[in-house]
Amino acid sequence: MSKKENDFLKKLLATFRIEAEDHVKTISSGLMELESETHPEERIKIIETIFREAHSLKGAARAVNNSEIETLCQSLENIFSKLKNRKLNISPGLLDLFHLAVNYLDNLLSAKENQLDELKRKVGELTKEIDNKIISAESDLSQLSEPIKKEQTLMQEKHLSAQTIRIPVNQLDSVLLQSEEFLGTKLSSAQKLSELHEINTAIRLWEKNWAKAKSYFYQQNNNKTKDPKASKEKKQTDDFLEWNEDFIKMIGNKLTALEAFSAKEHRALSSMVDNLIADMKKTLMMPFSTLLEIFPKIVRDLSRDQGKDVDLIIKGESIEIDRRILEEIKDPLIHIVRNCVDHGIEIPTERLTKNKPVRGSIKIEIIQKHGDKIEIIIIDDGAGIDFDKTKNSAIKLGIIEQDSFDKLSKQEILGLVFQSGVTTSTIITNLSGRGLGLAIVREKIEKIGGTVSVDSNTNTGTTFLLELPITLATIRGIIVRCAERLFVIATVYIEKVMRINRDDIKTVENRETILFYDQTISLVRLNEIMEIQTPNTLPGENKYVSVLIVNSAEKRIAFLVDEILGEQEVLVKRLGTQLERVRNIGGVSILGTGEVVPILNVTDLMKSAVKAHGAKIQPAAKEMDKKSEVKKSILVVEDSITARTLLKNILETSGYNVKTAVDGVDGYTQLRSGKFDIVVSDVDMPRMSGFDLTQKIRADKKFSDLPVILVTALETREDREHGIDVGANAYMVKSSFDQSNLLEVIKQLI
């Protein structure tokens, strides 16, 4: 194949993938509607839409020789044809089959090369199952009616499609970025206008002072003298002063006119730039519905998997936000909703004992708070956050001490769930339990200039509140000077800017502190955190110093700087991939003066401040302890020699001592004769299963606290619950096995 043909094929496949993703999303949304709709005429409309989408996707797949998608779509088309012709019942089992087909279609579009063979096999099995349904189809006249207004619907769609064109998003991104560059021109124009005003003000001040002084000057200079030379010099001086006065007045008048013209030009430029960027942003603004359309299926699949009944209510999905922000918050939102289903909503029997409706409820509401902010509220009516489990997890991790926990307010306790490692789950699974999710949620939300908080009440439910900017292009920022360098800190994190008396800085346990609203908070010198060599000097004659109170992640720290220059709108320029993890720096901006100024990453800044303070009061012996640490010992129990060898190699490569056993009996025998820090076991084994081995370990007082991880192919909800019942600490499914996850879980448990 020639290079030209190869390039064409790549473009064709890219186009197919975009089109196919649209079809799959529409099919998925249609299935969710079909599941909840009871009116026969409405159902037939939905069936017609899904039928057309499957047909269109089949044709597109045929054009790029994707036989798996083509075959699966053909089967879906056939079965929906039966539904249209009233030859098949709509049942929960059939709907589950449809949703599984959508999952496979989605996976086929995103699968990597090494996943395709197994995926194709599963798709083949599913296609046969759908075809068997068609063969054994029975009529159900009560469920369906004939399609209505089909031609009218098609005409409407044709009319709508004529109003839009498809443009690659990367091209729009490029145009938007170029448009945003004009913000620098706007800021530069404002800076020049300000400088003109300062010069003009200085000249007017000179004129004012000269008007007061010149009469006295002329009086002194008019003393009569008979010396011709002195008389001549006096006249020259008078002439020069008159010329000088006229000249400066002329300059002043021209500057006044220039300032007025520049002000008019700046207003026009600002208006054009603001309108241009606003219009460009609109092209990249997308409604939340484009993100939230996948959530009903996520909730449905997860609740079915866990034996729960959950309704998802979405409000405000038509509100628009920057597409780049939508991309950033997708994973955090999915994680929060999964948490609501997994940790929040109870199983039906438990809800009945609490006098709650059998079906749980999750509500997502989007509110445009004011011009440049969006609020997302996620509420569930589940069990609420378990305060005791949160406390035990935080104490176990050493985040807080027992005495400190008892003094925390409710909101401070809830803030602990965002700390890495803190979890309320009784068992670690592929889905949850490692305590990393909410920590990552907060990190991602704060990275884009947003905030996240949580409130919860026992047996009533939990509420997550996310506040986000509408766009990433600009922020309001405080410009500060520190050791002759300028920095920008986003205003959203600044609780207060103030000047304090140096005598108000106190030292407590080797740390500088100040009193803020009757609360003692740490004071950190920004130059030390930024590792700037020039000291942050405090001249003896300067009695007052400048301080910013920064509030992030329920932490409040005061940062001492040399000078606070003011607040203004700044253009945010993201760092490239090579520099995106530079500590404490989140981006840069170009001021109107042309100076490039770093924008501080407040999340990193707070962590650096806490670390710097901790370093002063903690002993430095911990690193030596780590180096002399004895290797941890792991017992791997697995009947498959291939899986056993693989696990042994992974763990030994990571620095662990590993012993292996061929089944549960062999494992328990080795456990009694050796010393191990953790057990990693398969479940389905001869002589003694992993479940029985775990139960036997828990029954022995000697091993009651020994961590046990079950790594198994058994992935049903009943199997996971059985793992919890017998006392496993973690339950990992082989089908989604990732060695980094296993190593992470082991590290967490020992």
Side-chain angles (χ1 to χ4, degrees):
M1 184 183 291
S2 68
K3 184 179 184 299
K4 186 176 181 181
E5 289 173 331
N6 190 50
D7 290 343
F8 172 74
L9 181 59
K10 284 181 180 178
K11 288 181 181 178
L12 186 64
L13 288 171
T15 303
F16 165 71
R17 190 171 289 108
I18 293 170
E19 180 186 356
E21 286 172 353
D22 289 342
H23 289 312
V24 172
K25 283 180 182 178
T26 306
I27 292 171
S28 180
S29 299
L31 291 175
M32 296 303 301
E33 290 179 34
L34 189 61
E35 196 161 8
S36 58
E37 184 58 64
T38 57
H39 195 279
E41 289 188 1
E42 293 301 321
R43 271 192 164 190
I44 203 63
K45 289 180 183 179
I46 298 169
I47 289 169
E48 177 66 28
T49 299
I50 298 173
F51 176 84
R52 284 201 313 274
E53 293 294 329
H55 179 77
S56 298
L57 180 55
K58 180 186 74 173
R62 185 186 297 124
V64 294
N65 296 322
N66 193 319
S67 57
E68 286 73 29
I69 291 181
E70 180 187 355
T71 305
L72 184 52
C73 285
Q74 179 64 63
S75 296
L76 285 174
E77 191 179 334
N78 291 341
I79 201 166
F80 273 95
S81 176
K82 297 290 183 184
L83 288 170
K84 283 172 57 179
N85 295 320
R86 301 172 293 175
K87 294 180 180 179
L88 189 64
N89 296 328
I90 297 177
S91 64
L94 192 59
L95 285 166
D96 286 342
L97 202 62
F98 292 155
H99 280 289
L100 185 58
V102 169
N103 289 345
Y104 281 155
L105 286 171
D106 203 28
N107 290 340
L108 282 168
L109 290 170
S110 59
K112 296 177 182 176
E113 191 67 33
N114 60 353
Q115 300 171 322
L116 278 175
D117 289 341
E118 176 65 14
L119 190 54
K120 287 177 182 178
R121 183 186 65 77
K122 290 183 177 180
V123 169
E125 293 174 356
L126 179 65
T127 303
K128 287 179 183 177
E129 190 174 350
I130 294 174
D131 291 342
N132 289 335
K133 287 278 185 185
I134 298 170
I135 293 169
S136 61
E138 293 181 2
S139 298
D140 185 357
L141 300 177
S142 63
Q143 294 294 314
L144 303 172
S145 65
E146 291 299 324
I148 304 171
K149 300 178 180 176
K150 176 180 177 182
E151 192 63 33
Q152 181 181 354
T153 304
L154 289 171
M155 289 299 292
Q156 288 175 345
E157 289 182 355
K158 183 178 179 182
H159 173 71
L160 288 172
S161 66
Q163 308 302 313
T164 61
I165 58 172
R166 190 185 292 272
I167 300 174
V169 171
N170 63 335
Q171 289 185 18
L172 289 175
D173 279 340
S174 175
V175 175
L176 176 60
L177 289 172
Q178 291 179 60
S179 301
E180 288 172 349
E181 292 296 328
F182 283 112
L183 277 172
T185 306
K186 172 187 165 183
L187 294 173
S188 178
S189 171
Q191 177 70 26
K192 289 173 182 175
L193 180 60
S194 175
E195 291 172 359
L196 273 174
H197 181 72
E198 287 177 10
I199 296 170
N200 206 8
T201 301
I203 287 178
R204 298 309 171 197
L205 180 62
W206 178 90
E207 289 178 341
K208 184 178 179 181
N209 290 333
W210 172 244
K212 292 178 181 178
K214 71 177 182 179
S215 59
Y216 174 78
F217 183 85
Y218 279 126
Q219 184 181 354
Q220 294 297 316
N221 200 39
N222 282 337
N223 292 333
K224 293 182 179 180
T225 177
K226 294 180 179 180
D227 185 351
K229 185 178 179 182
S231 179
K232 184 179 179 181
E233 289 176 351
K234 171 182 166 303
K235 186 176 185 309
Q236 288 176 339
T237 301
D238 289 345
D239 291 344
F240 172 77
L241 289 174
E242 287 178 10
W243 175 87
N244 190 60
E245 181 179 1
D246 292 340
F247 179 78
I248 291 180
K249 281 182 179 179
M250 182 268 292
I251 295 292
N253 291 335
K254 286 191 174 183
L255 277 171
T256 300
L258 183 59
E259 182 184 350
F261 176 77
S262 296
K264 182 180 178 181
E265 197 173 53
H266 174 67
R267 285 193 298 271
L269 178 64
S270 296
S271 177
M272 284 190 290
V273 169
D274 291 344
N275 290 337
L276 172 63
I277 293 175
D279 288 342
M280 278 309 306
K281 284 177 185 173
K282 286 176 185 175
T283 64
L284 284 175
M285 296 286 276
M286 297 182 71
F288 274 89
S289 57
T290 57
L291 168 63
L292 297 176
E293 63 188 3
I294 63 173
F295 279 67
K297 180 166 175 56
I298 290 172
V299 170
R300 178 196 182 278
D301 291 349
L302 188 57
S303 57
R304 284 288 183 93
D305 184 53
Q306 299 200 354
K308 299 175 180 179
D309 295 319
V310 184
D311 291 323
L312 177 64
I313 303 160
I314 299 175
K315 291 186 176 181
E317 64 269 34
S318 61
I319 292 174
E320 294 186 334
I321 195 169
D322 193 317
R323 180 186 58 80
R324 294 167 293 182
I325 294 178
L326 272 186
E327 290 173 355
E328 290 292 332
I329 66 170
K330 178 181 177 181
D331 289 342
L333 276 182
I334 288 175
H335 184 84
I336 290 174
V337 170
R338 278 180 171 166
N339 257 24
C340 291
V341 178
D342 192 26
H343 299 310
I345 304 296
E346 310 94 331
I347 59 174
T349 53
E350 187 180 340
R351 290 181 68 85
L352 284 173
T353 61
K354 295 178 179 179
N355 295 319
K356 289 184 174 183
V358 174
R359 296 186 68 83
S361 171
I362 298 173
K363 179 181 177 183
I364 302 175
E365 184 171 9
I366 297 97
I367 302 169
Q368 188 154 350
K369 191 176 179 184
H370 39 75
D372 59 350
K373 293 291 179 184
I374 294 285
E375 273 189 356
I376 304 177
I377 304 169
I378 304 116
I379 305 171
D380 72 61
D381 67 344
I385 292 173
D386 191 312
F387 285 73
D388 288 334
K389 288 179 179 177
T390 302
K391 167 186 174 181
N392 294 336
S393 182
I395 291 173
K396 183 179 177 182
L397 288 167
I399 294 173
I400 54 167
E401 300 294 333
Q402 173 74 49
D403 295 342
S404 302
F405 186 92
D406 295 335
K407 297 174 184 177
L408 295 179
S409 66
K410 175 188 173 182
Q411 205 55 44
E412 287 172 329
I413 294 171
L414 287 170
L416 291 172
V417 301
F418 293 105
Q419 296 288 331
S420 182
V422 174
T423 179
T424 59
S425 179
T426 54
I427 188 170
I428 299 172
T429 67
N430 297 73
L431 181 64
S432 64
R434 279 166 291 198
L436 300 173
L438 287 178
I440 295 171
V441 164
R442 166 163 274 169
E443 182 180 334
K444 288 195 171 186
I445 295 297
E446 291 187 342
K447 180 183 175 183
I448 57 174
T451 60
V452 58
S453 59
V454 63
D455 191 20
S456 185
N457 294 296
T458 304
N459 290 328
T460 301
T462 301
T463 300
F464 287 90
L465 174 63
L466 282 65
E467 188 174 274
L468 306 168
I470 286 182
T471 179
L472 292 176
T474 60
I475 62 168
R476 297 295 298 177
I478 303 288
I479 302 175
V480 301
R481 184 175 60 80
C482 174
E484 304 308 320
R485 302 190 189 185
L486 299 184
F487 298 95
V488 175
I489 304 176
T491 304
V492 68
Y493 297 109
I494 307 297
E495 189 170 348
K496 193 174 180 65
V497 172
M498 58 187 187
R499 287 173 62 78
I500 62 170
N501 193 312
R502 286 198 301 161
D503 295 337
D504 292 334
I505 301 174
K506 308 297 181 185
T507 301
V508 179
E509 296 180 352
N510 296 325
R511 290 181 291 177
E512 288 186 314
T513 64
I514 63 171
L515 203 62
F516 181 67
Y517 290 138
D518 298 325
Q519 180 187 3
T520 300
I521 62 173
S522 297
L523 176 72
V524 179
R525 297 167 186 260
L526 185 60
N527 72 293
E528 293 179 2
I529 301 302
M530 299 306 297
E531 299 178 13
I532 300 174
Q533 296 300 320
T534 306
N536 193 5
T537 56
L538 295 176
E541 64 273 11
N542 190 355
K543 189 177 180 181
Y544 293 92
V545 292
S546 299
V547 170
L548 300 97
I549 308 299
V550 179
N551 193 328
S552 173
E554 276 82 47
K555 292 187 181 73
R556 183 186 277 151
I557 295 177
F559 286 88
L560 187 148
V561 298
D562 290 338
E563 186 180 3
I564 297 167
L565 300 177
E567 180 190 20
Q568 70 175 57
E569 179 186 35
V570 294
L571 172 64
V572 179
K573 298 184 74 66
R574 302 289 167 185
L575 301 175
T577 53
Q578 302 93 330
L579 300 173
E580 64 181 4
R581 288 309 303 153
V582 173
R583 187 158 44 93
N584 299 325
I585 304 296
V588 296
S589 184
I590 302 176
L591 300 183
T593 58
E595 186 172 0
V596 178
V597 179
I599 300 172
L600 298 181
N601 180 326
V602 172
T603 305
D604 276 4
L605 199 65
M606 299 293 274
K607 290 177 183 176
S608 298
V610 171
K611 185 178 179 181
H613 263 53
K616 294 179 182 178
I617 59 173
Q618 290 178 357
K622 284 199 170 183
E623 286 301 315
M624 292 299 294
D625 292 342
K626 280 187 179 179
K627 290 177 183 177
S628 58
E629 222 174 48
V630 178
K631 281 187 178 181
K632 299 291 184 181
S633 185
I634 299 176
L635 176 63
V636 173
V637 186
E638 170 64 71
D639 63 320
S640 165
I641 186 170
T642 304
R644 193 165 62 242
T645 304
L646 175 64
L647 284 170
K648 188 174 189 292
N649 182 62
I650 290 171
L651 297 172
E652 285 183 337
T653 303
S654 300
Y656 295 105
N657 287 324
V658 182
K659 296 288 184 182
T660 60
V662 296
D663 57 30
V665 173
D666 184 20
Y668 191 69
T669 302
Q670 291 204 43
L671 197 60
R672 292 183 64 83
S673 60
K675 186 177 180 181
F676 299 95
D677 297 291
I678 194 168
V679 175
V680 178
S681 175
D682 186 20
V683 171
D684 195 6
M685 297 182 292
R687 295 205 295 171
M688 182 187 290
S689 72
F691 288 142
D692 293 335
L693 173 62
T694 305
Q695 201 163 21
K696 201 169 181 62
I697 289 172
R698 289 291 171 258
D700 192 324
K701 290 183 179 179
K702 183 180 177 183
F703 307 123
S704 59
D705 293 327
L706 181 67
V708 177
I709 299 175
L710 296 178
V711 181
T712 173
L714 304 177
E715 53 185 315
T716 66
R717 173 174 53 86
E718 290 77 12
D719 291 322
R720 287 198 301 272
E721 289 176 351
H722 194 181
I724 295 172
D725 292 339
V726 297
N729 299 85
Y731 192 96
M732 307 193 73
V733 179
K734 286 181 179 178
S735 63
S736 54
F737 177 78
D738 185 316
Q739 69 178 53
S740 63
N741 286 346
L742 174 63
L743 295 171
E744 184 184 293
V745 170
I746 290 173
K747 185 179 178 182
Q748 185 175 339
L749 291 175
I750 60 176

